[in-house]
Each structure stands twice: as structure tokens, then as C-alpha cells.
Amino acid sequence: MRYLDLDDRSREARSLTRTKCPAQLRVKLDYGCGRWKVSCFVESHNHDLTPPQFAHLKGGYYHAGFTRKDLYNHIDRYRQSKVKNGDANEAINYLIGKSNNDPLFFGKYTFTSDERLEPIFWADGQSIIDYHCFGDIVAFDSTYKKNKYKKPLVIFSGRNHHRQTVIFDSGLLSDETTEMYKWLLESFVEAMGGKSPKVVITDGDLAMRDAIKNVLPDATHRFCGWHLQRNACENIKNPNFLRDFKGLIYDNNDHRDFDRRLAAILDKHNLIRSTWMEKTYETGAMWSHCFLRDKFFGYIRTTSQCKGINSLIRFYVNHKNTLIDFMDNLDRALKEYRNNELIVDFKSQCSEPVMITSLEVYERSASCYFTRNIFKEICNEIQSAGALNIKVLSTTLDKVEFSVTALGDPAKDRQVEVDRGKKLLLCSCKLFESCGIPCSHVFCAMKFENILEFPDSLIYKRWTKNAKNEFISTEMPVNDDVERVLNFRVGALASNCNKLCDIACKDLTDFDEIQSELVNLVICLQSRKQGKSTPNVNVEGINDPFVVKSKGAPSKRSSWRKKRACSNCHKHGHYYKRCPDLMQHSVKGNPRNRSDGNASAKDLDFSPERFANSSSSFSIKFEHHSGPKTKPFKKGGIRKFTVTGMRNPKGKDNTFDEVKESQQDKGHSFTNYKCVNDVMDEKCDTPHVQIDVRDPLPSSMPCGNKQGSYIALFASMHRTL
């Protein structure tokens, strides 16, 4: 109780799941016989058992012994082995396979004169049922680079009773013209049995706008508020205007104040002659909340949930996916959305929230009806009711009108009308009409009228825990097309049978029980055979589609990249180690006679490339120094180096003595590198090389052992650098 009465919580109270259930099973070890025996067993429960569809949530797939990635790799290998007859044909076969297992599945596609696959559209049975439950609001947008053909992907989505994103269907288009969007919307309405949405939310694309006007004339079309703000930012670069314009989009005011507020904003920021504002004003009824607040939008005012879908599916699909890859991976993403819905269903039905407001009678009543996420929104409104003042404006026999104002701000007043006979409450803020939950002004009036029960008029069935059951029973077509009625019933039964099979197959006893019950049901219902459902797609020899050009501005990232230049000559095509300007000092093209004690680079088979490649494996170690410490070295100064990485014929590392000699008359200082323990060739008569210290590489090539020559060159580079 101390926890329940806590007022200064820093975070939200955790849901209550304990009921002090007496059910238990105790076992103890009998040391006499070495066996475990049951010592206590209480079978009765004081609560309803967890429904079978939620039982697996007590554990988790992460206890399966393998990772999700392992499972995806196995499925991917299996799927790749099945692709034989081309990508388009496999995609069509995939849809046909889905339609055979799902009676409500709908698929549609077209092809060109040369039999190449064009747009394709599909929706499974569960998505169609979700649409019949929550299809009053639909938002859709297009995205790119989700498949190898660059076909724009369009996903129709909405909100379920938990305020979660729910996907209705998907389509791949060949382009984004008005005619293509018309085909997509017509296919969408056909898949949903002719039921059109009441509200459609898009980003304001002209092709989408024209298609919605022609195919869905009765639907309310709303523009995305976020896209409108971004367009305002690009066209009118004024932060103060953007702040005022945002209020014009979202503020909950009367539409009669729209023109007055807009004129004041334009005059304030000197935008009366703005062309963009003139065009935007013409469509004000499609983006301002002043005109749309009496329409139900279910908290959707932007296409942000479409962006959220694109953000999630990028973990499943990419621009290299073929059609069959894409459709299979998108189906996996859809299952993740449905698993999220199952989790919140479990939390809403198998736990109780902690009451936190002083109006506990309203709060507890709301917790019984609404889902957990909607209950949180209602709690916020109940808490806000404590900061409101109320007074009676007029009273009749059955109706009372109140004026509700905020404490400390009497200018913000709302009118609440209460019909005592019909138990109907209406508020001028229109929150119930636009979002489906009672506002704080209504709760204030209920408290004043001493209404202790939650009126049925304030319970929006769409947000309740049993929303799907309510909609399936109320929205089931009765006097409509016979085929549509049959398909709807078959799909509803198939959805429940799939869950039943998934649960019963895990236990032998449950399997035998369900198997026998199903056999008995089939025998009892044999006289009521249903017509066999035919697939919505036909198999034909369809060729793979062409790669299409996406609509919109080109990418800002250029495919051209700045090439790396040489740090010595600043030219392209080579790096420092292969710079010709450096190599020309080490290789002179003047062949000399071998009798002079020197050989040409050609005779030694020396190449700058070979030197550059081989020198990277050498390392130089300075061992000791003897001689004068002044610089430059006087005659006789010696430094000894050991070169590791190339063995001489004796199997030892090469050692060099560096002797610096000064010639003051010529202004040159030379360094002699002498190979100490190397074995020279028979034709070699000088075991050292002379290098000008001002020159980064040797000015002449020695004859003799090529191995020692390479090491001497590298030693010179190491010293110079």
C-alpha cells in the first residue's frame, strides 16, 4: 500500500500483475528412495488464466538456442535454392502460394506488351481484417531504393487501438504519375472489399492529390504538417515566421479565426506579396487544424509513421533485393509489427495500472475499457481537469451549458454542453471528435454534475481493448455481395485457426484433443459446404521488369571522388613511393662499362617498381656511432646499421657501415655505404655505394650484389626521410 499511495514518483508506476493466487506445486527430495515427490498441490486460481495466444510471451525466442540471424540465414539459403524461373515468375508464384494458404489474400499486377512485370500490389488476410477494424484513417508515402529495380515502394498504414502503426498493404510502382496512383488506389479499394477510408494523409504530392480526388472523392485529404513546415523553411527563411506558421498549422482554434491570424502573420513579417504563401493559402483547408478538428484523425497529423516504417524495413530490405527477396523480407517486417501488437495486447489484458489521480472513479472506469496507451492519454486529461474553473451559462430542462476556463488564464474558455437525458457531453475544443478521447473540460463538467459512471457516449469503440472483436461483429457485411461475405468469414476463421494450430501442435495431448474436435466439427458441418475460393492472381510467363528512374531531385552525393595525388610532385596516377621524379635520381640511363667498376641499371635488372615493392619489408636498426659528433661529419665518422628483412647468402642480416666524408672545396658531403658481411658477386669490384647527402637517393648504382644495392638504397631513403 505504501507503494500504491506514493505521490512523488520520478517515473511511471509499474503495472500490477500480482493477485495473491493460492495455486502452487511443491516438490521435495526423498533421500530414502532418491526421488522427487509432490508435497503440496493447490489447483484453484483466483484469476483468469492467461489466454493461449499470450503464453509464449512468458519466455522468448532468444531461449531457442540460436540467434535470429542464424534463422534468417537458413531461410535465405532455402529461398535462394528455390529461385529457378526468373525473378518475376517467382514473385508471382509467391503470391499464388500465399493466396492458397490465405483465403482473404489479394494480389494484383500488370505487365507491358513485351510481358515485363509492371506495378504489383498485394495484401494478406490479416492486413485486410486490420483495415476493416482500423481503416478509417490511411496514410501512405513512397520511398526508393528498396529493390534492385528501383521501383518506388508505397505502403498503406494506419493506427490500431493501441496507437501503434498497422500496415494494410503494399505496392511496387513503375513510376509516380497520376495514372499509376489511380491504379494503386483502385486496387487498394478492390482489395478491401469496396470500403474506402474516411481520411487520407499524404505529403502533398500533386500526382497523389489528383489520384485521391478521382478515386476517393468522399475522403478527407490532409497534408503532412512536417512537410509543410519544411517547405516553409525552404521558401521563407525567417525563424520567427516559422514559429508563428507552426501555430497556424496545429493550434486548436475556430476556423473563423484562420483568416484573421494569417493576415496578422503576413503583415508582421512583410509577406503579403509572397507567391508561396498565396499558393499555400488556397489549400489551407487541407493542412490547418482549424478546418480539420471536427474530423477524426486518431492523433495522425503527419506522415511520420510512414517514415518510421521505412526506418524499420531498412533492416530487412535493401537496394540489392530481387522481387522475391523483397516480398519475403517485407513479410518478416510485417510480422514484427504484429508481434508488437500482441505484446501490448498482453499488457493491457493481463495487468492493471496504478491509479494516480484524485478522480479515481473516472480513472478506474477508463482502465477497464481502454487500452493502456489510450488510458495514459485519458489520465493526462483527468489530471488537467483539476486546474480548470467552471461556471454555468444556461440551464434548461435536460440541458446545461458550462463555460470552462483555465486557472489563471480566463481568456482560454471552452463551452461544454451536457444533455442529462441522453448522457451526452459535447465540448467546443472538439478533442473527442478529432482524437476520440474525452477532454479535460468534459471531465470538469462531469465532476460538477456528479456523474460517477463513464458515459457510453464517451467510449470510442476504436480505442477499447476489444476493438477488433467489436469491429468484426459490427462491420461484417450481411446484405452485401455473397462472395465478399464468404471471403470475409473464411478469412476471419482462418486467422483464428492459424493461431489454434500454432498452439496445439506444441503438445501431444493438445494436438490429439484439437484434432478430434476438428474432425467432429467437420462431420457436423458437412452439409454446409463453402465454395472454394479462387486465387486473385494468375500465373503467366512474366519477364523481369526494367530498372526504373526514381522521381525527385538527384542525390547530392556525387559518384566522382577526388583522386589521391602524389605528395612529392602533386600529380595523379601514382603515390610517393612510385614517383618518377624521385626514381630518376636512383636510376641513370647512362650505361657504363663493367671494366670501370660500375654496371648500368639495365644490366642489374633494377626497376623502381621492384625497389618500391621490396623495400617495404625491410627495417633499419641503428646500432652504434663512432667518430666526431659535430655536423656535418668529419672524415672518419662511422655509423653502423643492421638491415632486417632480407637475408644474405650466409643466412645473416646485412650490416652496413656509414662513413661520411666532407669535401669542402666542392661544397658536397658524401656518404659511403659499405656492405660488411655480404657475399659479393664474382664480377663485383666495389662493395660500397657513394651518395650525396643533399640528394634523397643514390646518384649512381653500384655493381655487384643486387641484394646489397637494394638495401643500400633503402637505407639512404630511411636516413633522408
Side-chain angles (χ1 to χ4, degrees), residues 359-372:
L359 300 176
E360 184 176 344
V361 61
Y362 300 143
E363 189 178 6
R364 190 168 298 279
S365 180
S367 66
C368 297
Y369 292 111
F370 299 99
T371 60
R372 188 57 45 83

Side-chain angles (χ1 to χ4, degrees), residues 497-511:
C497 288
N498 289 335
K499 296 179 182 179
L500 179 65
C501 296
D502 183 62
I503 298 170
C505 68
K506 298 177 182 178
D507 185 80
L508 181 60
T509 304
D510 295 340
F511 172 78

Side-chain angles (χ1 to χ4, degrees), residues 296 299 370 374 377-378 381 430-439 443 458 460 463:
F296 179 75
Y299 295 96
F370 299 99
I374 300 300
E377 299 293 335
I378 295 178
E381 297 297 328
K430 303 290 185 180
L431 182 65
F432 185 80
E433 287 78 3
S434 62
C435 296
I437 65 172
C439 60
F443 283 114
L458 298 180
Y460 200 70
W463 298 131

